[in-house]
Amino acid sequence: LTGNSLVPFAVGETRLFRVEAETALGLTVDVTTLATYTPRGGSVFSVATDGAVTGLATGADWLDVSYGGRTTS
């Protein structure tokens, strides 16, 4: 898991994020629906279990994404 840069959202806009992990064999696998999503502030955007992020209000927040014992923001 690696982090992304700042991503601007409009209120009401939804984007689908993809989460990938690298296996011990060096293969990249899609773990989007297996990852856990945690907004730190909770009021600027919402996150669905499929990685869909929707802007709720103006402001800034961090999104922590966890999978396999690792977390990135």
Side-chain angles (χ1 to χ4, degrees):
L1 299 172
T2 58
N4 285 318
S5 303
L6 176 68
V7 180
F9 277 83
V11 174
E13 178 182 4
T14 299
R15 294 188 193 181
L16 184 61
F17 283 79
R18 181 176 172 161
V19 180
E20 296 178 334
E22 187 174 314
T23 69
L25 298 174
L27 301 171
T28 301
V29 293
D30 184 346
V31 295
T32 303
T33 59
L34 303 174
T36 302
Y37 304 92
T38 309
R40 290 188 192 173
S43 60
V44 177
F45 56 83
S46 65
V47 185
T49 56
D50 65 353
V53 177
T54 302
L56 301 176
T58 56
D61 197 355
W62 287 94
L63 175 63
D64 293 329
V65 180
S66 302
Y67 173 77
R70 295 180 184 236
T71 300
T72 188
S73 297

